[in-house]
Amino acid sequence: MLDEWGEQVAHGWVTGDDELGRHSRFRGELRDRGERYVLGVPCTTTIRDLEAPLPAYQGRGRRPKAPWQSVTQWRKALHPTAWRRFTVRDGEKGPVGIEMATRRVQTRLERKRTGPEEWLVVTRRLLADDCVLEGKSSPDAREQDGRYRYQYYLTPTGMSGVELQAPSLAELARVIKAGACIEASFKRGKGEAGMDAYQVRTWQGWHHHMALSLISVWFLLGETHRGQQVTPALTLPQVRYGLSLLLLEVFCTPGTDYICRQVQRQLMRNESARFYHHRTRKCIPTRKLRREIQ
C-alpha cells in the first residue's frame, strides 16, 4: 500500500498496534522506505537499554554491555521522575491525559540477532480513565498494576541511513491517540453504519459495501463535528437518530419540532453529565460548557 499510494496520500507517521509492531521485518521495511512509525509491541519484548550505566569492566575480554531484559522489568525499574504528563485533547469526562517515558534501546530480531537502535516509548494511564471506544488488542499488548495500565511502542532513531533526532513526546502522544481515534471510528462504523453486516460472494461486492460504509461514517462524523461547534455534547448516535426520524417522517412519525425537542433534551442531559464529570475530577470545564449549564 505504501509503495503504490504513499506518494499520493500525504502522511507523516505510520501507526498500529502490537500485531504490526511485533514483526521486526515490518519495522525494518518501514525504515528502508523512510517512514516514521509508532508501533505497539508486546510487554514480553526483549530490549537492551543503551542509556543505562554499563557494568564494571574486569580488565579482561570484551567490555560488558547492558543486560537484555523484558520491557516490563525495565519499566518497573524506572524512577518516578522519568514520567512526563501531556494533555492530548478535551474528552467527554475531562481532559484526556497520558504519561510517557522514552529511552534509546536495542531489540532482538529472530534467532536472537541484535536489531537496530530504536526509541522505546512507554505510556501509562489511570485504570479509571480507560476509554471504551479504544480498539481491542492482543492479551500481551498491555499490562496493568493496581493503578495504571501500561502500553509499549517503538519508533525509529534513523531511517535510510539518516540519523533522526529524539522525537517530541507531545508529538508521539498525538500520534498514539490518533491511532486510538481511528480504531474508534471503525468501531462506530460497525455499530452505526453496518460495516461488518455484509453478505457478499465476490471481492467487488465487499469493496462496494466497505466503500459505502466508510462514506457513511465519514458523513456522520462530519455532521457530529459540525454540530459540536454549537453543542459540544452532540454525539454520532444522536446524529443518526435525528436523521432516521427525519427520513421516516413521511410515514406518520412525529414532526420536526418534536424531533428537535427530543434531541435538545438529550443534549442538555449530556451537557450536565460532562459538567459534573469535570467537577468530580477537579478539572475546569470549558467556557462554553460552564455557560450552558449555568
Side-chain angles (χ1 to χ4, degrees):
M1 292 172 62
L2 287 173
D3 292 338
E4 294 182 5
W5 299 100
E7 296 182 358
Q8 287 78 12
V9 180
H11 62 282
W13 293 85
V14 175
T15 183
D17 57 18
D18 66 298
E19 294 298 338
L20 295 174
R22 69 174 67 226
H23 300 288
S24 57
R25 182 179 177 182
F26 178 70
R27 303 199 308 269
E29 293 284 347
L30 291 178
R31 288 192 298 271
D32 294 339
R33 286 166 172 76
E35 299 285 349
R36 299 203 69 169
Y37 59 82
V38 181
L39 298 175
V41 292
C43 58
T44 56
T45 303
T46 303
I47 63 166
R48 172 186 285 162
D49 189 349
L50 299 179
E51 300 180 15
L54 299 178
Y57 181 52
Q58 301 297 329
R60 293 182 299 176
R62 295 181 179 179
R63 292 188 176 274
K65 297 182 179 181
W68 293 99
Q69 57 184 332
S70 68
V71 290
T72 301
Q73 295 175 338
W74 177 85
R75 188 264 305 168
K76 292 180 180 179
L78 275 179
H79 194 272
T81 58
W83 297 97
R84 295 183 58 188
R85 182 171 182 81
F86 295 89
T87 300
V88 183
R89 64 178 183 273
D90 183 33
E92 293 294 330
K93 300 181 181 180
V96 178
I98 187 173
E99 293 185 83
M100 307 176 64
T102 61
R103 191 68 58 89
R104 185 186 290 265
V105 301
Q106 274 185 316
T107 58
R108 273 186 170 174
L109 304 179
E110 293 78 6
R111 300 179 181 179
K112 297 184 178 181
R113 293 180 294 127
T114 302
E117 295 184 5
E118 294 176 283
W119 287 97
L120 173 66
V121 183
V122 186
T123 65
R124 72 177 185 182
R125 289 187 61 193
L126 292 172
L127 294 177
D129 294 344
D130 282 351
C131 179
V132 296
L133 291 179
E134 290 188 359
K136 298 292 184 180
S137 53
S138 60
D140 58 351
R142 62 184 68 179
E143 60 175 353
Q144 63 187 38
D145 51 22
R147 186 179 181 186
Y148 294 102
R149 187 196 67 185
Y150 302 92
Q151 288 184 274
Y152 306 93
Y153 303 86
L154 288 175
T155 186
T157 60
M159 53 187 183
S160 300
V162 179
E163 186 73 14
L164 299 176
Q165 295 182 352
S168 168
L169 291 181
E171 178 69 7
L172 291 175
R174 183 192 67 81
V175 175
I176 291 173
K177 285 304 173 184
C181 291
I182 293 172
E183 293 181 0
S185 299
F186 278 106
K187 185 173 182 178
R188 285 171 171 170
K190 295 177 181 179
E192 305 295 334
M195 184 180 292
D196 59 344
Y198 54 84
Q199 296 181 4
V200 296
R201 294 181 178 274
T202 62
W203 280 110
Q204 184 178 11
W206 183 85
H207 283 295
H208 287 172
H209 177 87
M210 298 304 292
L212 290 174
S213 299
L214 290 174
I215 291 174
S216 301
V217 174
W218 170 74
F219 171 76
L220 291 174
L221 290 175
E223 289 298 301
T224 301
H225 290 306
R226 187 173 65 87
Q228 285 178 346
Q229 297 176 3
V230 180
T231 307
L234 187 65
T235 61
L236 189 146
Q238 290 169 351
V239 173
R240 192 189 67 164
Y241 170 75
L243 291 175
S244 63
L245 292 182
L246 289 174
L247 294 174
L248 294 175
E249 189 175 0
V250 294
F251 298 103
C252 300
T253 55
T256 305
D257 294 338
Y258 175 80
I259 296 173
C260 293
R261 287 196 301 269
Q262 291 294 104
V263 174
Q264 180 66 19
R265 187 176 65 178
Q266 293 181 2
L267 293 178
M268 291 304 300
R269 183 184 61 186
N270 289 0
E271 292 282 80
S272 300
R274 290 185 70 216
F275 178 83
Y276 290 113
H277 275 305
H278 278 75
R279 194 174 69 173
T280 302
R281 299 179 61 184
K282 299 180 180 180
C283 300
I284 300 178
T286 60
R287 184 177 301 177
K288 175 175 176 52
L289 185 57
R290 295 198 302 269
R291 184 175 66 252
E292 293 291 338
I293 298 300
Q294 296 172 358

